[in-house]
Amino acid sequence: MNLETALIDMAVCEARVLERARGVASETGQTLAHVLLQLGLVSETDLARTYAAILGTQVLDATRLGQIVEPVFPDRLGRRFLRQARAVPLSCTGDTLHLVMADPQDDYTASAVGLATGCRVVREVARPADLEAALTRLYPEDEEDAADEDTLSSEGEAAEEDTDRLKDLASEAPIIRLVNQLIFRAVETRASDIHIEPFEDRLLVRYRYDGVLHEVDSQSPRLTAALISRIKIMARLDIAERRLPQDGRIKLAVRGHEVDFRVSTVPSLHGEIAVLRVLDRTTVSFDYSRLGLAPSIISSFRETLQAPNGIVLVTGPTGSGKTTTLYTGLAGLNSTERNVMTVEDPIEYQLAGINQIQIRPTIGLTFASLLRAILRQDPDVIMVGEIRDLETAQIAVQAALTGHLVLSTLHTNSAAAAVTRLRDMGLEDYLLTAVLRGILAQRLVRKLCPECRRPEEVPPELARRLGLDSATSHTLWHPVGCPHCRQTGYRGRSAVAEFLQPSREVTRLILSGADHSEIERAAMAEGMQTMFQAGLQVALKGETSLEEISRIVGHDA
């Protein structure tokens, strides 16, 4: 069975997709498998599984490759050859050598290894990323390899100053392949961020899963300049500028659909740090039922968004899902009768029917200047990505006072703290009470893996500390870890939130200059459920753990 037939039989690719890839392969002289990976039409995992089906074997995982403690036939098989061939000798029994290959249909490599060792070669298959990690560990680079294979300059830092040289390095096939593997693997495994961090002895790659970073790869520090330059070229950034932070965007087709990446680079001691935020539109749904918010909060939030004017805020730290919640609210407001406009930095997702504008501070296009300009466009609803300064806050208030509904975000730890944050910016209390319609504060907590979570009855003492009825039995669930959740015990995330609607008493406290704790106590007395209380209810339902709630929200009971 050939590769094309197997891909169709296993429903990995359609015939028309293969026809397109075959045309590109014939034009470029590359293999079909290479083109399929480059275009994002198949994933590394699906390709490896297809090869395994052809061979009638299983894909070797990173754990199995990690059991190879030393190179096999190091005197007969050179490291440079194995790197270029993307092959690793697994074991030798008698006259039979098991050879793990990224492309087991590469007859040349198999024949060359057989001739060099005098053994009968049995082909095995593994994911290219796992093979690269094994090659790095078993066959570390020496100075000659680094200079020859990666085309890195022997002049060291002097070469890094050469912009043309950086472009050449970033265009080398090994670097292109490595960056593509890191990106495709992140999308495939549903990572939310890719962190590429240079240190003195290595280049560390970490993925963020469900808000927590996990180390996935480690490369030679010599690759730092080339790898970061490659990412900058893809994001259309200035590769010659390595002293200042830069922000950009990459749009790629991965497995046949568009995925956006927000790119941020920052200079550090040993080179530039690059962070890529993965924005996969196929995994995002602007639907209240998917947010995980309590039905009572969804109802209150929806009702507040129906106000004809005023300001509605969503608060929380970076990465707490504020923008997704705002987009969900905007989607509900989007209609032919309304003119909805947004001012964002950056535009994370494109919403049909909504006018979205990106700020550009380098040319003076700031939140404040854009907000001032779009008021002349007579919008009904305005979303401001973030209120960062007094000028933006004042214009947002003016917009709300003149009949517009303004949605925005703030970085605060609680809903009540948004009041003191705006007050600290310099906004007068009487303006706050005039325009504030509601404040939603939220966090994202990891959901327990339903395959391996473990129940445990709550001890009476803990129940009392949590404010639960100690006379009634309660059950909390705990993480365990299994292959479905990468041994973390968690899979996916859900929002927990508190919603503050200014009542008469809260308004009186704001006007009297009360701090956030007084405002929060008054809101709780009127029925507001705090984030910890909301999280505790989610934990009692078995959707997350008390440890996760305490880690993200803290314990204010």
Side-chain angles (χ1 to χ4, degrees):
M1 184 189 302
N2 63 27
L3 178 60
E4 293 185 38
T5 304
L7 288 169
I8 294 173
D9 290 348
M10 294 181 67
V12 174
C13 263
E14 298 178 0
R16 60 183 180 80
V17 173
L18 286 173
E19 184 177 351
R20 171 189 165 198
R22 200 184 307 116
V24 175
S26 63
E27 291 174 8
T28 61
Q30 298 172 327
T31 64
L32 177 65
H34 181 80
V35 170
L36 288 170
L37 286 174
Q38 288 284 91
L39 295 179
L41 300 174
V42 300
S43 68
E44 287 188 349
T45 299
D46 284 340
L47 186 61
R49 286 174 181 162
T50 305
Y51 278 137
I54 295 172
L55 296 175
T57 183
Q58 297 292 320
V59 178
L60 295 181
D61 59 17
T63 303
R64 180 68 183 90
L65 289 170
Q67 293 172 358
I68 310 175
V69 294
E70 59 184 20
V72 179
F73 291 121
D75 54 335
R76 302 184 194 180
L77 299 173
R79 70 184 78 186
R80 195 175 307 159
F81 165 76
L82 292 174
R83 281 204 195 99
Q84 291 173 346
R86 293 195 295 165
V88 175
L90 182 65
S91 62
C92 184
T93 306
D95 63 346
T96 301
L97 174 67
H98 288 263
L99 183 68
V100 190
M101 307 172 70
D103 179 6
Q105 293 189 322
D106 183 356
D107 296 329
Y108 170 78
T109 296
S111 299
V113 170
L115 287 172
T117 60
C119 295
R120 182 177 68 89
V121 173
V122 175
R123 306 180 197 190
E124 305 280 358
V125 64
R127 283 168 25 103
D130 295 335
L131 265 177
E132 293 279 356
L135 284 165
T136 301
R137 179 173 56 84
L138 294 167
Y139 303 93
E141 295 176 338
D142 56 26
E143 293 182 3
E144 181 182 351
D145 285 334
D148 185 50
E149 179 185 343
D150 298 316
T151 344
L152 295 177
S153 172
S154 60
E155 287 86 9
E157 292 185 9
E160 291 188 6
E161 297 297 323
D162 185 350
T163 302
D164 292 334
R165 186 61 174 165
L166 282 174
K167 288 181 180 177
D168 292 341
L169 294 178
S171 301
E172 289 295 319
I175 294 297
I176 293 174
R177 186 168 66 240
L178 176 58
V179 171
N180 287 344
Q181 286 170 353
L182 292 176
I183 288 175
F184 293 164
R185 186 177 174 188
V187 175
E188 181 183 284
T189 57
R190 296 184 179 272
S192 62
D193 300 86
I194 306 169
H195 289 247
I196 301 170
E197 303 159 326
F199 294 94
E200 185 177 8
D201 58 342
R202 61 176 179 155
L203 179 62
L204 178 64
V205 180
R206 296 190 290 174
Y207 290 168
R208 190 181 294 278
Y209 295 108
D210 299 329
V212 179
L213 285 168
H214 298 263
E215 181 176 344
V216 296
D217 199 4
S218 182
Q219 298 287 338
S220 166
R222 295 188 185 94
L223 295 177
T224 299
L227 196 146
I228 298 298
S229 294
R230 175 62 189 167
I231 291 172
K232 283 185 169 183
I233 288 172
M234 295 172 72
R236 298 181 180 180
L237 300 178
D238 182 2
I239 67 170
E241 181 54 78
R242 295 186 295 282
R243 302 164 301 169
L244 297 173
Q246 294 188 68
D247 294 299
R249 197 178 198 117
I250 299 173
K251 183 176 287 187
L252 287 177
V254 180
R255 300 200 67 182
H257 65 268
E258 292 284 336
V259 180
D260 287 345
F261 300 85
R262 267 172 50 190
V263 180
S264 171
T265 64
V266 175
S268 71
L269 180 62
H270 300 291
E272 289 179 281
I273 300 170
V275 177
L276 287 75
R277 168 72 59 86
V278 183
L279 302 171
D280 188 350
R281 298 175 195 174
T282 62
T283 63
V284 176
S285 176
F286 302 123
D287 182 358
Y288 284 109
S289 62
R290 298 283 297 275
L291 294 177
L293 296 172
S296 59
I297 287 182
I298 292 175
S299 176
S300 299
F301 187 60
R302 271 180 166 160
E303 182 183 337
T304 303
L305 291 180
Q306 296 306 313
N309 54 60
I311 293 179
V312 180
L313 296 173
V314 179
T315 77
T318 302
S320 60
K322 301 187 299 296
T323 304
T324 302
T325 299
L326 276 185
Y327 277 176
T328 304
L330 281 179
L333 294 172
N334 187 16
S335 67
T336 308
E337 296 79 22
R338 285 193 182 101
N339 178 13
V340 182
M341 303 187 77
T342 74
V343 181
E344 304 175 60
D345 179 29
I347 297 172
E348 293 195 8
Y349 299 101
Q350 296 176 22
L351 303 176
I354 291 178
N355 301 299
Q356 297 173 267
I357 309 169
Q358 164 129 10
I359 72 166
R360 298 184 185 278
T362 54
I363 60 171
L365 205 60
T366 63
F367 277 121
S369 62
L370 264 175
L371 190 50
R372 195 178 288 112
I374 67 172
L375 286 175
R376 304 188 191 103
Q377 300 274 320
D378 190 29
D380 299 292
V381 180
I382 305 169
M383 186 192 100
V384 183
E386 183 184 345
I387 294 178
R388 297 177 179 174
D389 51 45
L390 177 59
E391 187 180 11
T392 305
Q394 287 175 332
I395 300 169
V397 167
Q398 290 168 14
L401 288 171
T402 53
H404 304 84
L405 180 64
V406 180
L407 282 60
S408 191
T409 69
L410 275 177
H411 285 87
T412 64
N413 292 323
S414 67
V419 174
T420 53
R421 176 80 180 96
L422 290 170
R423 185 185 287 154
D424 291 343
M425 283 185 187
L427 208 60
E428 292 85 352
D429 289 334
Y430 71 89
L431 289 176
L432 272 174
T433 56
V435 299
L436 209 51
R437 300 290 177 263
I439 306 170
L440 179 76
Q442 72 176 49
R443 299 286 189 282
L444 292 179
V445 297
R446 292 180 295 171
K447 295 193 291 186
L448 285 168
C449 174
E451 306 293 334
C452 63
R453 60 180 183 169
R454 172 177 56 84
E456 187 176 297
E457 191 169 325
V458 181
E461 177 59 31
L462 179 59
R464 281 192 295 272
R465 286 175 53 198
L466 295 175
L468 301 173
D469 182 5
S470 56
T472 308
S473 64
H474 302 278
T475 301
L476 287 173
W477 298 73
H478 301 277
V480 177
C482 68
H484 295 90
C485 58
R486 297 181 299 277
Q487 303 300 327
T488 64
Y490 298 94
R491 192 169 67 188
R493 288 194 292 176
S494 182
V496 294
E498 61 187 25
F499 189 65
L500 172 62
Q501 283 182 294
S503 62
R504 181 170 296 182
E505 175 61 17
V506 169
T507 299
R508 185 188 68 78
L509 287 171
I510 294 174
L511 287 171
S512 66
D515 65 14
H516 68 91
S517 58
E518 292 180 76
I519 295 171
E520 187 171 277
R521 281 195 296 270
M524 289 173 64
E526 293 173 349
M528 185 187 84
Q529 188 180 53
T530 66
M531 259 189 292
F532 181 81
Q533 292 168 341
L536 182 58
Q537 295 305 311
V538 174
L540 290 170
K541 292 177 184 177
E543 295 177 16
T544 189
S545 66
L546 183 62
E547 298 93 332
E548 178 67 4
I549 295 298
S550 298
R551 183 181 75 88
I552 296 296
V553 179
H555 185 181
D556 63 356

